[in-house]
Amino acid sequence: AQSVAQPEDQVNVAEGNPLTVKCTYSVSGNPYLFWYVQYPNRGLQFLLKYITGDNLVKGSYGFEAEFNKSQTSFHLKKPSALVSDSALYFCAVRRTGTASKLTFGTGTRLQVTL
Amino acid sequence: NAGVTQTPKFRILKIGQSMTLQCTQDMNHNYMYWYRQDPGMGLKLIYYSVGAGITDKGEVPNGYNVSRSTTEDFPLRLELAAPSQTSVYFCASSDTGLANYGYTFGSGTRLTVV
């Protein structure tokens, strides 16, 4: 079985400060890891993914995430937060193999204030 | 290129009524999925399909049915609506190619059962 944990329901950060949204995972074999963002009344939008290679992956809107195999983590980061980054963020994992399905975390609400 | 299209966007049902949530994609993706999103619970997989004519249950299939007669369409049927089915429903699709292991989501259907 595969699972994702997002330990924080909400993260609050001031605009201009760095942000981190935490994610840990459990999966047999090598993981494929994803971050999605959801704005109010919208569907989920793809931010970035880790498949293989460099542990630091860069995605849309200046976000990046670091894959740490030993800690089974895939934290989302951004050097300087914007108010417009306020949204719901989901981490997701699937194991290698095209037949496997994505398992999502419960989501973390990011609130960026002036 | 519309991506994944869901209709309707909003619906109110009375207990015991039935309805079909429509989902269509124009990306020729083989894999399609239905999720429900409840506050604090993340996304739960209801049903999925790996190609036309093939469907399978996810984590929370009870009270729902699906069919996949074409690659493009994956409707979700609620036969006897119950208040517990009040939720936001998302359809998603993915391809099986090496370059992309993520999902493309529709904008969702907000269903209220009263």
Side-chain angles (χ1 to χ4, degrees), chain A residues 69-91:
Chain A
K69 189 172 184 177
S70 63
Q71 296 185 5
T72 62
S73 67
F74 190 57
H75 301 331
L76 181 70
K77 300 180 180 183
K78 187 174 183 181
S80 179
L82 297 172
V83 171
S84 57
D85 293 330
S86 299
L88 189 57
Y89 290 81
F90 289 94
C91 182

Side-chain angles (χ1 to χ4, degrees), chain A residues 34 36 38 49 90 94 102, chain B residues 31 35 37 90 99 101 103:
Chain A
F34 303 82
Y36 287 83
Q38 184 182 31
K49 66 184 177 186
F90 289 94
R94 67 191 286 180
L102 276 180
Chain B
Y31 289 66
Y35 285 88
Q37 183 182 25
F90 289 101
Y101 288 87
Y103 292 3

Side-chain angles (χ1 to χ4, degrees), chain A residues 32 34 36 38 41-44 49 51 88 90 94 98 101-102 104-106, chain B residues 31 35 37 40 42-43 45 48 90 96 99-103 105-107 110:
Chain A
Y32 295 153
F34 303 82
Y36 287 83
Q38 184 182 31
N41 300 313
R42 303 289 295 276
L44 278 70
K49 66 184 177 186
I51 302 299
L88 189 57
F90 289 94
R94 67 191 286 180
T98 56
K101 301 172 291 298
L102 276 180
F104 289 85
T106 52
Chain B
Y31 289 66
Y35 285 88
Q37 183 182 25
L43 280 78
L45 181 64
Y48 67 100
F90 289 101
T96 56
N100 179 13
Y101 288 87
Y103 292 3
F105 281 85
S107 57
R110 185 174 296 274

Side-chain angles (χ1 to χ4, degrees), chain B residues 71-93:
Chain B
T71 298
E72 294 78 19
D73 300 308
F74 190 42
L76 177 71
R77 179 83 177 163
L78 282 70
E79 291 294 349
L80 291 170
S84 61
Q85 294 177 305
T86 294
S87 188
V88 181
Y89 292 83
F90 289 101
C91 180
S93 71

Side-chain angles (χ1 to χ4, degrees), chain B residues 9-59:
Chain B
K9 294 190 182 302
F10 304 94
R11 183 73 185 268
I12 298 175
L13 277 182
K14 294 184 178 179
I15 295 172
Q17 286 185 322
S18 62
M19 76 164 294
T20 299
L21 282 66
Q22 302 291 346
C23 175
T24 187
Q25 52 95 5
D26 61 359
M27 298 168 287
N28 203 32
H29 284 173
N30 285 323
Y31 289 66
M32 296 188 74
Y33 314 83
W34 274 106
Y35 285 88
R36 59 177 287 172
Q37 183 182 25
D38 301 306
M41 301 296 289
L43 280 78
K44 298 294 185 184
L45 181 64
I46 305 171
Y47 270 95
Y48 67 100
S49 169
V50 302
I54 306 169
T55 63
D56 207 348
K57 296 177 180 178
E59 302 171 79

